[in-house]
Amino acid sequence: MTTYVYGIASSSHPSLPDGMEGIGKPACAVRILKQGELAAIVSDAPEDLKPKRRDLLAHQNVLSEAGAAGSVLPMRFGSLAPDDETVVSVLGERADHYTERLRTLDGKVEYNVKASHNEQAVLHQVLAENPELRAMVEANQRQGGGSHEQKLQLGEAVTSAVRAREASDAVEVRRALEPTAESVADGPEGTGWLANVSFLVSRKSAEGFVAAVEELRTTQPHLELKVHGPLPPYSFVDPGPAEPAT
């Protein structure tokens, strides 16, 4: 049966969650595969595996349980191997790499920050900072709203100014939070936010990171910040020259 891989840890990890329940319905029992100084946290994989909320939470719960007492390299949801033997083989082949990553990520967690604009607030800010835009708005108002062409020109100018502000604010989010982190990774771009950044933070420094986020909210009230964490450091695992499970 196909093997589902949750994460990789040291074989001496004090609380590997052997016997707890993982993904699937009914839930598959979690087991531990060991090879030398490494261990893989795995279970069987359901044939109809999909990123359902139940299974996403189960994946997260296994990693949270395992990571509570020691370093774990988290695999992203859906990491599969043909069988247990393949997982054990990969542990042996990449032992040096995984051992180094476990050492690097020990005592660290990930915080993901997504930033977007409060549309009304940023519009007021853009107009306040751009006298040319204010002049165009005032000219249109004096003419009862302006002609169709004038409205189009104003709309294009405002859109351009807002996009420029999005770019500068994305840089500001990273600049403000990076000093409290040990590493930074950009996430995939997407609609709805201007920045999607993950920060690798020492557990001991987590309060400082959260405080930096709150300060950014205070100093840049036109920004809306969504913070997810602490999380297993998914964005900083670096599986090596090839995927750890296929």
Side-chain angles (χ1 to χ4, degrees):
M1 178 176 284
T2 303
T3 300
Y4 186 94
V5 185
Y6 298 86
I8 297 169
S10 167
S11 59
S12 61
H13 190 293
S15 61
L16 293 177
D18 194 5
M20 77 177 298
E21 294 184 336
I23 61 171
K25 188 178 182 181
C28 297
V30 174
R31 59 184 186 275
I32 307 301
L33 303 177
K34 294 186 178 182
Q35 171 62 41
E37 297 182 355
L38 295 173
I41 306 166
V42 306
S43 72
D44 291 340
E47 293 183 1
D48 61 342
L49 179 64
K50 295 179 181 179
K52 300 176 182 177
R53 176 176 172 80
R54 178 187 66 245
D55 287 336
L56 290 169
L57 290 175
H59 178 95
Q60 178 74 26
N61 183 55
V62 170
L63 288 171
S64 296
E65 183 77 15
S71 182
V72 175
L73 299 183
M75 298 295 108
R76 292 191 180 277
F77 181 87
S79 296
L80 301 173
D83 48 44
D84 286 3
E85 289 72 21
T86 300
V87 176
V88 172
S89 177
V90 170
L91 290 180
E93 292 170 1
R94 303 180 192 164
D96 290 344
H97 174 75
Y98 288 143
T99 300
E100 183 276 331
R101 295 312 299 163
L102 282 168
R103 187 182 305 113
T104 299
L105 297 179
D106 188 27
K108 300 177 179 68
V109 292
E110 176 176 335
Y111 284 87
N112 175 258
V113 178
K114 289 183 174 67
S116 59
H117 275 156
N118 178 305
E119 293 184 5
Q120 286 300 115
V122 78
L123 181 59
H124 286 303
Q125 193 164 54
V126 163
L127 290 174
E129 295 172 350
N130 193 317
E132 292 183 2
L133 279 182
R134 291 201 307 275
M136 292 176 68
V137 170
E138 292 167 359
N140 284 7
Q141 290 175 340
R142 286 195 297 269
Q143 298 179 45
S147 66
H148 177 68
E149 183 176 351
Q150 287 173 322
K151 291 178 181 178
L152 286 177
Q153 289 176 342
L154 177 59
E156 291 172 355
V158 169
T159 298
S160 178
V162 169
R163 286 177 177 171
R165 189 59 193 252
E166 287 177 348
S168 64
D169 280 340
V171 173
E172 174 61 17
V173 169
R174 182 167 180 145
R175 184 205 64 77
L177 302 181
E178 190 168 13
T180 62
E182 300 199 14
S183 187
V184 182
D186 291 319
E189 295 182 1
T191 57
W193 56 77
L194 57 91
N196 175 19
V197 191
S198 288
F199 299 85
L200 184 66
V201 179
S202 168
R203 290 182 185 275
K204 297 178 180 179
S205 304
E207 289 186 6
F209 178 83
V210 173
V213 172
E214 292 306 315
E215 183 178 357
L216 185 61
R217 284 194 172 111
T218 300
T219 60
Q220 306 291 338
H222 65 289
L223 288 178
E224 295 182 349
L225 303 174
K226 292 185 178 180
V227 182
H228 299 280
L231 303 167
Y234 295 108
S235 301
F236 304 92
V237 169
D238 181 13
E243 290 297 322
T246 59

